[in-house]
PDB file of all heavy atoms in Angstrom:
ATOM      1  N   VAL D 228       1.021  30.429  70.989  1.00 97.00           N
ATOM      2  CA  VAL D 228       0.134  29.468  70.319  1.00 97.00           C
ATOM      3  C   VAL D 228      -0.914  30.187  69.460  1.00 97.00           C
ATOM      4  O   VAL D 228      -1.923  29.598  69.096  1.00 97.00           O
ATOM      5  CB  VAL D 228      -0.581  28.545  71.353  1.00 97.00           C
ATOM      6  CG1 VAL D 228       0.409  27.609  72.005  1.00 97.00           C
ATOM      7  CG2 VAL D 228      -1.345  29.358  72.400  1.00 97.00           C
ATOM      8  N   ARG D 229      -0.676  31.430  69.110  1.00 97.00           N
ATOM      9  CA  ARG D 229      -1.691  32.195  68.392  1.00 97.00           C
ATOM     10  C   ARG D 229      -2.028  31.570  67.043  1.00 97.00           C
ATOM     11  O   ARG D 229      -3.183  31.582  66.612  1.00 97.00           O
ATOM     12  CB  ARG D 229      -1.231  33.646  68.207  1.00 97.00           C
ATOM     13  CG  ARG D 229      -2.243  34.551  67.513  1.00 97.00           C
ATOM     14  CD  ARG D 229      -3.566  34.626  68.291  1.00 97.00           C
ATOM     15  NE  ARG D 229      -4.558  35.388  67.573  1.00 97.00           N
ATOM     16  CZ  ARG D 229      -4.731  36.699  67.698  1.00 97.00           C
ATOM     17  NH1 ARG D 229      -3.974  37.403  68.541  1.00 97.00           N
ATOM     18  NH2 ARG D 229      -5.657  37.329  67.015  1.00 97.00           N
ATOM     19  N   ASN D 230      -1.028  31.001  66.362  1.00 97.00           N
ATOM     20  CA  ASN D 230      -1.316  30.391  65.055  1.00 97.00           C
ATOM     21  C   ASN D 230      -2.277  29.210  65.199  1.00 97.00           C
ATOM     22  O   ASN D 230      -3.223  29.057  64.407  1.00 97.00           O
ATOM     23  CB  ASN D 230      -0.019  29.955  64.364  1.00 97.00           C
ATOM     24  CG  ASN D 230       0.828  29.029  65.214  1.00 97.00           C
ATOM     25  OD1 ASN D 230       0.794  29.085  66.437  1.00 97.00           O
ATOM     26  ND2 ASN D 230       1.611  28.169  64.576  1.00 97.00           N
ATOM     27  N   TYR D 231      -2.067  28.364  66.208  1.00 97.00           N
ATOM     28  CA  TYR D 231      -2.982  27.233  66.442  1.00 97.00           C
ATOM     29  C   TYR D 231      -4.368  27.721  66.868  1.00 97.00           C
ATOM     30  O   TYR D 231      -5.386  27.151  66.473  1.00 97.00           O
ATOM     31  CB  TYR D 231      -2.420  26.301  67.516  1.00 97.00           C
ATOM     32  CG  TYR D 231      -1.167  25.575  67.117  1.00 97.00           C
ATOM     33  CD1 TYR D 231       0.019  25.752  67.828  1.00 97.00           C
ATOM     34  CD2 TYR D 231      -1.151  24.699  66.043  1.00 97.00           C
ATOM     35  CE1 TYR D 231       1.184  25.073  67.465  1.00 97.00           C
ATOM     36  CE2 TYR D 231       0.000  24.014  65.679  1.00 97.00           C
ATOM     37  CZ  TYR D 231       1.165  24.212  66.392  1.00 97.00           C
ATOM     38  OH  TYR D 231       2.308  23.535  66.028  1.00 97.00           O
ATOM     39  N   VAL D 232      -4.409  28.774  67.672  1.00 97.00           N
ATOM     40  CA  VAL D 232      -5.695  29.329  68.128  1.00 97.00           C
ATOM     41  C   VAL D 232      -6.477  29.903  66.950  1.00 97.00           C
ATOM     42  O   VAL D 232      -7.688  29.707  66.838  1.00 97.00           O
ATOM     43  CB  VAL D 232      -5.467  30.384  69.234  1.00 97.00           C
ATOM     44  CG1 VAL D 232      -6.739  31.183  69.507  1.00 97.00           C
ATOM     45  CG2 VAL D 232      -4.985  29.709  70.517  1.00 97.00           C
ATOM     46  N   ASP D 233      -5.792  30.593  66.053  1.00 97.00           N
ATOM     47  CA  ASP D 233      -6.469  31.144  64.865  1.00 97.00           C
ATOM     48  C   ASP D 233      -7.044  30.017  64.003  1.00 97.00           C
ATOM     49  O   ASP D 233      -8.157  30.145  63.470  1.00 97.00           O
ATOM     50  CB  ASP D 233      -5.499  32.000  64.046  1.00 97.00           C
ATOM     51  CG  ASP D 233      -5.175  33.329  64.723  1.00 97.00           C
ATOM     52  OD1 ASP D 233      -5.949  33.738  65.609  1.00 97.00           O
ATOM     53  OD2 ASP D 233      -4.155  33.948  64.368  1.00 97.00           O
ATOM     54  N   ILE D 234      -6.291  28.930  63.877  1.00 96.00           N
ATOM     55  CA  ILE D 234      -6.796  27.774  63.120  1.00 96.00           C
ATOM     56  C   ILE D 234      -8.019  27.194  63.804  1.00 96.00           C
ATOM     57  O   ILE D 234      -9.023  26.856  63.163  1.00 96.00           O
ATOM     58  CB  ILE D 234      -5.686  26.701  62.978  1.00 96.00           C
ATOM     59  CG1 ILE D 234      -4.553  27.207  62.078  1.00 96.00           C
ATOM     60  CG2 ILE D 234      -6.262  25.395  62.402  1.00 96.00           C
ATOM     61  CD1 ILE D 234      -3.310  26.334  62.109  1.00 96.00           C
ATOM     62  N   GLY D 235      -7.956  27.063  65.139  1.00 95.00           N
ATOM     63  CA  GLY D 235      -9.084  26.529  65.897  1.00 95.00           C
ATOM     64  C   GLY D 235     -10.326  27.386  65.767  1.00 95.00           C
ATOM     65  O   GLY D 235     -11.446  26.863  65.622  1.00 95.00           O
ATOM     66  N   ILE D 236     -10.154  28.710  65.805  1.00 96.00           N
ATOM     67  CA  ILE D 236     -11.290  29.629  65.654  1.00 96.00           C
ATOM     68  C   ILE D 236     -11.944  29.433  64.291  1.00 96.00           C
ATOM     69  O   ILE D 236     -13.177  29.396  64.168  1.00 96.00           O
ATOM     70  CB  ILE D 236     -10.815  31.095  65.835  1.00 96.00           C
ATOM     71  CG1 ILE D 236     -10.474  31.361  67.314  1.00 96.00           C
ATOM     72  CG2 ILE D 236     -11.875  32.084  65.362  1.00 96.00           C
ATOM     73  CD1 ILE D 236      -9.770  32.676  67.555  1.00 96.00           C
ATOM     74  N   GLU D 237     -11.114  29.295  63.263  1.00 94.00           N
ATOM     75  CA  GLU D 237     -11.638  29.099  61.903  1.00 94.00           C
ATOM     76  C   GLU D 237     -12.371  27.760  61.792  1.00 94.00           C
ATOM     77  O   GLU D 237     -13.464  27.692  61.209  1.00 94.00           O
ATOM     78  CB  GLU D 237     -10.486  29.165  60.906  1.00 94.00           C
ATOM     79  CG  GLU D 237     -10.927  29.071  59.451  1.00 94.00           C
ATOM     80  CD  GLU D 237      -9.766  29.176  58.481  1.00 94.00           C
ATOM     81  OE1 GLU D 237      -8.643  29.539  58.909  1.00 94.00           O
ATOM     82  OE2 GLU D 237      -9.973  28.890  57.285  1.00 94.00           O
ATOM     83  N   ARG D 238     -11.808  26.709  62.356  1.00 94.00           N
ATOM     84  CA  ARG D 238     -12.439  25.381  62.257  1.00 94.00           C
ATOM     85  C   ARG D 238     -13.754  25.314  63.030  1.00 94.00           C
ATOM     86  O   ARG D 238     -14.680  24.604  62.628  1.00 94.00           O
ATOM     87  CB  ARG D 238     -11.479  24.314  62.782  1.00 94.00           C
ATOM     88  CG  ARG D 238     -10.302  24.042  61.842  1.00 94.00           C
ATOM     89  CD  ARG D 238      -9.344  23.035  62.456  1.00 94.00           C
ATOM     90  NE  ARG D 238      -8.263  22.692  61.526  1.00 94.00           N
ATOM     91  CZ  ARG D 238      -7.225  21.906  61.831  1.00 94.00           C
ATOM     92  NH1 ARG D 238      -7.136  21.390  63.054  1.00 94.00           N
ATOM     93  NH2 ARG D 238      -6.305  21.637  60.926  1.00 94.00           N
ATOM     94  N   LEU D 239     -13.844  26.047  64.134  1.00 93.00           N
ATOM     95  CA  LEU D 239     -15.059  26.029  64.946  1.00 93.00           C
ATOM     96  C   LEU D 239     -16.100  27.048  64.476  1.00 93.00           C
ATOM     97  O   LEU D 239     -17.179  27.150  65.065  1.00 93.00           O
ATOM     98  CB  LEU D 239     -14.705  26.301  66.414  1.00 93.00           C
ATOM     99  CG  LEU D 239     -13.890  25.205  67.118  1.00 93.00           C
ATOM    100  CD1 LEU D 239     -13.403  25.692  68.474  1.00 93.00           C
ATOM    101  CD2 LEU D 239     -14.720  23.933  67.264  1.00 93.00           C
ATOM    102  N   LEU D 240     -15.739  27.806  63.429  1.00 93.00           N
ATOM    103  CA  LEU D 240     -16.644  28.809  62.847  1.00 93.00           C
ATOM    104  C   LEU D 240     -17.114  29.814  63.894  1.00 93.00           C
ATOM    105  O   LEU D 240     -18.291  30.195  63.971  1.00 93.00           O
ATOM    106  CB  LEU D 240     -17.860  28.121  62.213  1.00 93.00           C
ATOM    107  CG  LEU D 240     -17.555  27.049  61.135  1.00 93.00           C
ATOM    108  CD1 LEU D 240     -18.846  26.391  60.662  1.00 93.00           C
ATOM    109  CD2 LEU D 240     -16.792  27.668  59.968  1.00 93.00           C
ATOM    110  N   LEU D 241     -16.159  30.286  64.708  1.00 94.00           N
ATOM    111  CA  LEU D 241     -16.490  31.235  65.767  1.00 94.00           C
ATOM    112  C   LEU D 241     -16.417  32.664  65.247  1.00 94.00           C
ATOM    113  O   LEU D 241     -15.465  33.029  64.547  1.00 94.00           O
ATOM    114  CB  LEU D 241     -15.521  31.077  66.940  1.00 94.00           C
ATOM    115  CG  LEU D 241     -15.563  29.738  67.678  1.00 94.00           C
ATOM    116  CD1 LEU D 241     -14.402  29.643  68.672  1.00 94.00           C
ATOM    117  CD2 LEU D 241     -16.888  29.557  68.401  1.00 94.00           C
ATOM    118  N   ALA D 242     -17.421  33.460  65.578  1.00 93.00           N
ATOM    119  CA  ALA D 242     -17.425  34.885  65.230  1.00 93.00           C
ATOM    120  C   ALA D 242     -16.816  35.643  66.404  1.00 93.00           C
ATOM    121  O   ALA D 242     -17.390  35.699  67.492  1.00 93.00           O
ATOM    122  CB  ALA D 242     -18.846  35.357  64.964  1.00 93.00           C
ATOM    123  N   ILE D 243     -15.640  36.212  66.199  1.00 95.00           N
ATOM    124  CA  ILE D 243     -14.956  36.895  67.297  1.00 95.00           C
ATOM    125  C   ILE D 243     -14.790  38.380  66.961  1.00 95.00           C
ATOM    126  O   ILE D 243     -14.767  38.763  65.788  1.00 95.00           O
ATOM    127  CB  ILE D 243     -13.589  36.256  67.591  1.00 95.00           C
ATOM    128  CG1 ILE D 243     -12.593  36.532  66.458  1.00 95.00           C
ATOM    129  CG2 ILE D 243     -13.725  34.761  67.824  1.00 95.00           C
ATOM    130  CD1 ILE D 243     -11.167  36.178  66.810  1.00 95.00           C
TER     131      ILE D 243
END
Side-chain angles (χ1 to χ4, degrees):
V228 291
R229 182 60 185 270
N230 55 331
Y231 293 119
V232 168
D233 288 341
I234 292 169
I236 288 170
E237 184 178 348
R238 288 177 176 175
L239 292 170
L240 304 176
L241 296 171
I243 70 168

